[in-house]
Amino acid sequence: MATTNTASAPADEPMISVEGLNKWYGDFHVLRDIDLTVAKGERIVICGPSGSGKSTLIRCLNHLEEHQQGRIVVDGVTMTQDVKRIEQIRRNVGMVFQHFNLFPHLSVLDNCCISQTWVQKKPRAEAEKTAMEFLERVRIADQAHKYPGQLSGGQQQRVAIARALCMRPEVMLFDEPTSALDPEMIKEVLDVMVELARDGMTMLCVTHEMGFAKTVADRVIFMDQGQIIEQAPPETFFNHPQSDRTQMFLSQILGH
Amino acid sequence: MLRSSSSERGPLWRDPAVRALVIQALLLLGLAALIVMLVTNTLANLEARGITTGLGFLQERAGFSIPQTLIAYSGDSTYGRTFVVGLLNTLLVSGLGIVAATVIGFAVGIARLSSNWLLARLAAAYVEIFRNIPLLVQILFWYFAVLQALPSPRQSLSLFEALFLNVRGLMMPAPVPQPGFDATLWALALAVAAVVGLSLYARRLQARTGRALPVYRLGALILIGLPLAVFLVTGRPLAWDVPALAGFNFKGGVTIIPELMALWLALSIYTASFIAEIVRSGIQSVPSGQVEAARAISLPGNITLRKIVIPQAMRVIVPQLTSQYLNLIKNSSLATAIGYPDLVAVFAGTTLNQTGQAIEIIAMTMAVYLLISLVVSALMNLYNARTLMKER
Amino acid sequence: MAEMATRIEMIEARRPPDLRRGVLGWLRANLFDGPRNSVITLCVLAVLGWGLWPLVQWALIDADWLGSTREACSGEGACWVFISARFETIVYGFYPEAARWRVDTVFMMLGLLIAWLAIPRLPAKRWVGLFALVGFPVVAYVLLLGGHFGLMAVPTREWGGLMLTLTVAVVGIVGSLPLGVVLALGRRSRMPLVRGVCVVFIEFWRGVPLITVLFMASVMLPLFVPNEVEFDKLLRALIGIMFFWSAYMAEVVRGGLQAIPKGQEEAAKALGMGYWRRMGLIVLPQALKLVIPGIVNTFIALFKDTSLVLIIGLFDLLAIIRSGLTDSNWLGFATEGYVFAALMFWVFCFSMSRYSQYIERRLHTGHRN
């Protein structure tokens, strides 16, 4: 298993551990008794029908959603209500959204520099250098001075990936990163994600791209009705699904 | 008007180009006829009433006094000066109103989004009550029901024996600069320059080293501290002319006449209810994904507000805000209902009644408001062009 | 590797463990959520107690309601006798008592028409709307002004109160809406002269205050027409109001026209429709439906601004109340008078704004589906 180059927690300690996580929206029980451990460098794909709680789960990991019961530890830091601690966790966790959520009033370069400037307090030149380095990696450095609105969906999503990487996170969360894209743009984003996986980034990825799951995932997790139904390496998961629900889901998603 | 396939041409009256020409020609003719008719009628009517046209009346003696003038004015001044006095009074109440309405409006708009249920309800009630009552009713209410019900000067409500509120208005101490006060003014100017310099330096420092200075706190310290220090060191060279009761009225100090107070109160409270809605919808127009993305890259709350939410909300807020400012300026003309001497009251009112120069006076009054509208719209377009979101 | 188990039994949904339920839970979540919110709540309560309670006491608890003369006022709270004693005047102005049934009839018709148009379920909106715009004004004109069909003539100087306010408002909207539609179409015309004239017309009225328009209508209009033509004061004001609000209406309608996709007009063109059919049958119906909230909002603004006619000496609702304040038998009731006027206007405007919000929500859901 590959390791990240900037390890902060001991290698044997899990990158993320979730115990007994429960969450409600009002009276609706969205996440039910979730237990999950993610090792350093592990690549996990989470799938499941819509409304199964998969997005909510990864949004809990950087406290975009608040949970009511259970324990979340990210890179050795336990999640509490403390704002400073939440910010500390978020510095280690990058996130890519379905709808990119780039800042439309800032240029691509500024999108990548803003957190380096205000969180890491880096000099402008250094921030720009880091930004260009990652924009280079997602192959969009030539668009650095454009505004998000001037880019295609695929390009915007690659910028969003670069923006998250600029904080040099230990973990990357992907929340359906290709669902809002036109078919011809999906590949350019997936290519970047595959490369990232090859470099040993710890990744949790909510997606329906089963091809991606087969190529890079160490483990595929299937969720339904707010609970983890089944988890297995892709080989086992796709060829010998255990539960009926998983089989039905796979036949629906791969069937057509 | 050439067509590529002239053989296919239908009857002339079905050709759109010909039709367009005919319609426009008819419109032009109609307009011309209307104008000729209006002008002949007007000239005939004016002659019948013995009114001479022209702007000559502006040099004539006005002969009436105005209760509030920002420049020297007396009954011997000309109608031209009346016009300027009225215009300045309009601008005064508009300026005061814009400042107050903005402050109240932003406060109420933000309060409407508060997580505190009671505060949010209170703000909503404010908006629903005041924007649904005609401004004129509000002006009359403040003037006749509140300010006219205040006690006479002898029974004034007073605060620290310096501020006096009575039926004649609000009397406040007036600052009287003594010799040596100039130094404080210079210090203030210097402080402003220093703050500008500081913010430029802070930006450069941050770009070079990444260190962010607490610009707001330092700036406030300089802005207040420096002039205050100079003021104290030079021996506080400022006296106050405190209003004092003399006979049946107050002497000295500055008086805010009740007409101005009522108009100011009503204009700010009324306009603020609209501004509050604009602010609320502007803030809500920023998609929640923007804040989530900012949080995900661990930007702290105040930076998220300053760098992500406010710039995007302002693009929505500013154009609508400007049109509210224009409305406020136009609405200040309701002054005439309570006798605040604004442009409409003294010029389109008193001057018109005395001279009968209806056309010139109404045209001049309207021109002033049109000019303000045009200038503000032009500035607005400039702003829009500058902040235009770049799109594909 | 971590757990690889498959879950066989599904976990049943449970109730949240939260305390955010019940009255106490709600209070805690919404009012006392942390020290900052608690302080805010207490401050708001203090302001309400200090400001609102005396108001309630004055307006309701200590108020005098019964009687017909000044002697009925105890002077402790509000004296609503001031209003009830002159309620007839506030509604009808100086309209002759014998002919007030005519005003009532028109009020009733107006109420029915508005209700019919406002309730989405009722059918034949187009015909009722057409009647409201064309037929009703004629009927109302004949009934209110009289002088025909054996009805006693009532000159407009005897009109006043709520009746005049509603007349000005209804004429304003009935006149300004069609004119606004024409101006909006003109502003989008491809003929430069037509477009230019419309732009200048619209921007002129939008750039000046209504007061100056009313002044212009009352002092300049008589100069524009031949000397022998008698111009009614109310009519002059109505013309000014119509022109003024048509400009605002035009901008609202233009917004709707811009929101209609170009494909709609192209499709209509492809069906061989001419300009007026394309506009009348395809584009305008959609655009107008889209801007109903905007039209209602403009109407609210118009309704509030009808009060300005008091400045040129017409006796609308506000002016009637104000004139009552100078009645030597009833001096010193300014607060009651203006509060009542405010309440009357508020009831009308608030219900209209609620209606416009309701329509807006309906439109939004309509689009989503």
Side-chain angles (χ1 to χ4, degrees):
Chain A
M1 186 129 292
T3 49
T4 42
N5 41 5
T6 52
S8 55
D12 53 332
E13 212 169 275
M15 194 69 207
I16 296 173
S17 88
V18 176
E19 290 164 32
L21 184 69
N22 276 287
K23 175 171 174 59
W24 287 265
Y25 284 130
D27 280 344
F28 179 60
H29 200 172
V30 243
L31 293 178
R32 306 178 188 172
D33 298 339
I34 302 283
D35 292 306
L36 176 68
T37 314
V38 183
K40 195 169 283 283
E42 195 179 4
R43 288 143 315 200
I44 290 179
V45 164
I46 305 173
C47 60
S50 61
S52 59
K54 47 197 193 314
S55 287
T56 311
L57 172 60
I58 66 165
R59 287 161 59 87
C60 281
L61 297 180
N62 64 349
H63 205 269
L64 287 185
E65 302 276 355
E66 208 170 308
H67 60 277
Q68 281 95 24
Q69 281 178 354
R71 200 172 124 88
I72 297 174
V73 183
V74 180
D75 203 14
V77 184
T78 309
M79 182 89 71
T80 61
Q81 292 289 340
D82 181 7
V83 183
K84 287 281 159 239
R85 198 175 277 209
I86 293 170
E87 273 171 20
Q88 190 189 348
I89 290 178
R90 283 176 180 159
R91 274 198 285 276
N92 280 333
V93 179
M95 186 167 210
V96 175
F97 298 87
Q98 182 179 359
H99 295 289
F100 332 133
N101 294 356
L102 291 176
F103 306 128
H105 60 301
L106 300 178
S107 71
V108 164
L109 191 62
D110 286 336
N111 263 281
C112 294
C113 286
I114 186 163
S115 65
Q116 300 186 65
T117 308
W118 293 103
V119 180
Q120 298 178 324
K121 313 238 189 276
K122 279 196 203 168
R124 178 77 193 174
E126 199 182 311
E128 277 185 16
K129 201 171 139 260
T130 312
M132 288 312 289
E133 186 185 308
F134 284 107
L135 286 172
E136 202 82 57
R137 261 177 79 177
V138 300
R139 290 181 290 278
I140 203 151
D142 51 329
Q143 314 276 357
H145 293 285
K146 287 199 177 163
Y147 284 83
Q150 296 169 295
L151 304 180
S152 74
Q155 288 173 319
Q156 289 193 49
Q157 194 59 298
R158 284 187 280 146
V159 172
I161 295 174
R163 178 177 69 179
L165 290 175
C166 281
M167 292 292 286
R168 299 191 189 277
E170 300 280 336
V171 187
M172 285 287 285
L173 307 175
F174 292 85
D175 187 3
E176 308 208 23
T178 54
S179 302
L181 294 178
D182 292 336
E184 74 269 21
M185 294 169 185
I186 291 177
K187 191 175 173 299
E188 63 186 60
V189 172
L190 286 180
D191 285 349
V192 169
M193 289 167 63
V194 169
E195 256 174 57
L196 208 56
R198 298 251 154 84
D199 293 344
M201 175 66 78
T202 313
M203 291 166 72
L204 269 89
C205 189
V206 173
T207 182
H208 290 159
E209 293 297 328
M210 290 305 142
F212 174 77
K214 281 175 187 161
T215 357
V216 303
D218 298 311
R219 184 166 29 139
V220 181
I221 293 178
F222 174 70
M223 283 183 73
D224 193 11
Q225 291 184 11
Q227 48 211 294
I228 295 178
I229 303 287
E230 186 165 347
Q231 41 183 323
E235 193 109 335
T236 332
F237 183 83
F238 288 110
N239 298 331
H240 311 289
Q242 301 288 307
S243 111
D244 295 344
R245 286 169 186 271
T246 319
Q247 283 164 15
M248 205 161 74
F249 175 74
L250 284 176
S251 71
Q252 271 168 4
I253 203 162
L254 303 169
H256 52 83
Chain B
M1 300 295 135
L2 283 176
R3 287 291 194 80
S4 49
S5 53
S6 51
S7 58
E8 297 281 321
R9 241 174 138 157
L12 209 54
W13 62 88
R14 284 205 203 136
D15 186 326
V18 174
R19 267 192 190 185
L21 263 184
V22 171
I23 291 173
Q24 297 188 70
L26 284 177
L27 182 68
L28 197 63
L29 265 176
L31 277 179
L34 187 69
I35 290 168
V36 168
M37 199 185 83
L38 291 183
V39 170
T40 20
N41 280 336
T42 310
L43 288 179
N45 283 324
L46 288 176
E47 210 182 287
R49 293 173 200 194
I51 301 170
T52 48
T53 50
L55 294 174
F57 72 98
L58 288 175
Q59 263 84 52
E60 287 167 26
R61 182 176 174 277
F64 62 93
S65 67
I66 299 177
Q68 177 193 296
T69 56
L70 295 178
I71 53 173
Y73 176 89
S74 71
D76 288 329
S77 303
T78 60
Y79 286 121
R81 194 139 180 108
T82 310
F83 173 80
V84 179
V85 167
L87 178 58
L88 288 176
N89 282 341
T90 289
L91 293 178
L92 173 73
V93 72
S94 303
L96 288 173
I98 284 173
V99 172
T102 309
V103 172
I104 305 173
F106 271 76
V108 175
I110 293 167
R112 271 203 86 174
L113 296 170
S114 163
S115 63
N116 187 306
W117 183 86
L118 201 58
L119 186 63
R121 293 279 97 191
L122 187 69
Y126 174 95
V127 170
E128 290 300 351
I129 290 173
F130 289 108
R131 74 169 177 183
N132 284 319
I133 297 174
L135 177 60
L136 186 58
V137 177
Q138 297 192 36
I139 293 175
L140 295 179
F141 173 81
W142 287 114
Y143 187 65
F144 288 110
V146 178
L147 298 179
Q148 294 289 302
L150 287 171
S152 67
R154 281 170 172 278
Q155 275 91 40
S156 298
L157 308 168
S158 83
L159 193 67
F160 308 126
E161 291 301 313
L163 284 174
F164 298 93
L165 188 64
N166 58 48
V167 72
R168 301 272 174 87
L170 178 68
M171 284 86 186
M172 297 184 302
V176 185
Q178 306 292 309
F181 187 68
D182 288 358
T184 307
L185 291 180
W186 282 112
L188 186 66
L190 194 69
V192 170
V195 168
V196 172
L198 174 75
S199 67
L200 287 176
Y201 170 74
R203 198 177 294 173
R204 290 243 308 271
L205 185 76
Q206 191 180 19
R208 218 173 52 240
T209 67
R211 244 186 80 211
L213 291 176
V215 179
Y216 290 103
R217 261 175 264 167
L218 276 178
L221 195 71
I222 295 174
L223 214 52
I224 296 169
L226 189 61
L228 191 68
V230 171
F231 179 68
L232 293 176
V233 165
T234 50
R236 293 193 271 178
L238 187 69
W240 292 94
D241 176 16
V242 181
L245 194 63
F248 289 102
N249 203 358
F250 278 86
K251 282 248 171 357
V254 203
T255 304
I256 300 182
I257 57 173
E259 290 80 15
L260 174 60
M261 271 205 287
L263 191 62
W264 184 25
L265 270 171
L267 277 176
S268 350
I269 291 177
Y270 179 75
T271 312
S273 69
F274 291 89
I275 292 179
E277 275 302 273
I278 292 169
V279 169
R280 179 186 65 93
S281 68
I283 294 175
Q284 281 181 334
S285 76
V286 180
S288 57
Q290 291 291 309
V291 178
E292 287 187 353
R295 284 192 193 151
I297 55 173
S298 69
L299 285 182
N302 59 336
I303 302 289
T304 305
L305 204 62
R306 250 173 58 204
K307 298 285 167 185
I308 308 296
V309 178
I310 291 177
Q312 292 188 59
M314 282 321 255
R315 282 162 205 255
V316 179
I317 292 174
V318 170
Q320 300 181 56
L321 200 58
T322 330
S323 93
Q324 283 307 322
Y325 290 166
L326 279 179
N327 282 347
L328 188 146
I329 296 172
K330 284 185 278 176
N331 281 336
S332 73
S333 60
L334 291 183
T336 176
I338 53 169
Y340 173 77
D342 84 319
L343 179 64
V344 172
V346 298
F347 198 61
T350 317
T351 306
L352 175 62
N353 282 339
Q354 291 193 358
T355 62
Q357 305 281 353
I359 294 175
E360 298 84 347
I361 286 177
I362 297 282
M364 277 175 75
T365 312
M366 284 184 158
V368 166
Y369 288 100
L370 274 179
L371 195 69
I372 295 175
S373 296
L374 285 178
V375 169
V376 173
S377 313
L379 289 176
M380 206 51 250
N381 288 342
L382 223 85
Y383 170 86
N384 279 340
R386 250 193 44 178
T387 63
L388 191 69
M389 205 86 90
K390 295 233 167 52
E391 307 258 352
R392 253 142 74 90
Chain C
M1 198 86 283
E3 59 273 84
M4 291 284 168
T6 301
R7 198 180 285 286
I8 309 297
E9 303 251 310
M10 293 295 280
I11 302 164
E12 287 301 314
R14 297 189 299 264
R15 306 280 296 166
D18 228 345
L19 299 168
R20 297 194 170 189
R21 269 182 293 159
V23 178
L24 275 178
W26 183 89
L27 282 177
R28 183 177 314 199
N30 291 294
L31 297 181
F32 298 99
D33 180 20
R36 201 171 127 245
N37 257 349
S38 305
V39 171
I40 292 177
T41 302
L42 292 177
C43 287
V44 174
L45 282 176
V47 168
L48 285 181
W50 174 79
L52 204 61
W53 178 242
L55 191 70
V56 171
Q57 206 165 20
W58 173 82
L60 300 175
I61 298 172
D62 291 344
D64 303 304
W65 300 87
L66 299 171
S68 54
T69 55
R70 200 184 166 137
E71 279 64 55
C73 300
S74 63
E76 276 165 30
C79 185
W80 298 118
V81 179
F82 169 71
I83 299 297
S84 55
R86 55 188 64 243
F87 191 72
E88 296 262 298
T89 322
I90 290 175
V91 175
Y92 299 104
F94 317 110
Y95 211 84
E97 219 154 309
R100 283 183 186 169
W101 63 270
R102 282 149 55 180
V103 179
D104 293 334
T105 315
V106 173
F107 274 174
M108 229 134 55
M109 277 175 77
L110 181 66
L112 277 177
L113 279 174
I114 289 174
W116 193 293
L117 288 172
I119 300 171
R121 255 178 321 172
L122 292 177
K125 285 262 149 48
R126 191 168 295 193
W127 298 111
V128 178
L130 206 66
F131 177 72
L133 285 182
V134 182
F136 173 67
V138 176
V139 176
Y141 175 82
V142 170
L143 273 177
L144 291 180
L145 206 57
H148 304 273
F149 309 111
L151 294 171
M152 176 178 69
V154 183
T156 57
R157 64 171 179 278
E158 292 177 12
W159 299 16
L162 180 64
M163 173 242 163
L164 184 75
T165 294
L166 288 177
T167 307
V168 173
V170 170
V171 175
I173 186 105
V174 169
S176 64
L177 186 57
L179 192 55
V181 170
V182 172
L183 285 170
L185 290 176
R187 193 166 184 170
R188 284 167 60 86
S189 164
R190 256 170 290 145
M191 293 177 253
L193 192 66
V194 174
R195 196 173 57 230
V197 168
C198 289
V199 168
V200 170
F201 188 90
I202 292 171
E203 294 307 327
F204 171 74
W205 296 110
R206 275 160 43 90
V208 297
L210 180 56
I211 282 269
T212 58
V213 175
L214 290 174
F215 273 149
M216 179 165 108
S218 66
V219 300
M220 272 167 85
L221 263 185
L223 294 178
F224 286 159
V225 294
N227 211 359
E228 52 284 358
V229 178
E230 185 84 24
F231 231 147
D232 188 86
K233 196 181 195 177
L234 175 63
L235 182 62
R236 277 181 279 169
L238 287 176
I239 291 174
I241 286 173
M242 244 160 56
F243 279 158
F244 182 80
W245 287 105
S246 70
Y248 287 84
M249 224 38 120
E251 287 301 280
V252 171
V253 174
R254 187 164 74 111
L257 290 174
Q258 276 169 344
I260 302 300
K262 230 162 78 189
Q264 291 292 320
E265 219 195 317
E266 284 166 356
K269 252 186 210 167
L271 290 173
M273 292 185 179
Y275 177 80
W276 291 109
R277 285 214 180 144
R278 286 203 305 271
M279 288 300 144
L281 295 176
I282 309 295
V283 179
L284 268 178
Q286 297 186 54
L288 286 180
K289 201 177 159 208
L290 216 57
V291 294
I292 288 175
I295 293 175
V296 177
N297 287 340
T298 311
F299 184 52
I300 296 173
L302 186 159
F303 188 80
K304 283 187 290 182
D305 273 1
T306 56
S307 54
L308 267 62
V309 296
L310 86 75
I311 291 172
I312 55 165
L314 290 170
F315 281 92
D316 77 318
L317 178 62
L318 182 60
I320 285 273
I321 292 175
R322 196 162 90 130
S323 72
L325 296 172
T326 54
D327 182 342
S328 53
N329 289 325
W330 288 95
L331 287 177
F333 291 98
T335 317
E336 283 87 343
Y338 290 120
V339 167
F340 180 75
L343 189 71
M344 289 286 271
F345 277 103
W346 185 83
V347 167
F348 277 99
C349 296
F350 181 69
S351 37
M352 284 191 283
S353 83
R354 275 293 136 132
Y355 175 70
S356 128
Q357 284 164 19
Y358 158 74
I359 287 291
E360 202 156 1
R361 272 199 301 277
R362 246 174 70 93
L363 277 176
H364 277 298
T365 46
H367 273 278
R368 218 175 286 147
N369 293 344

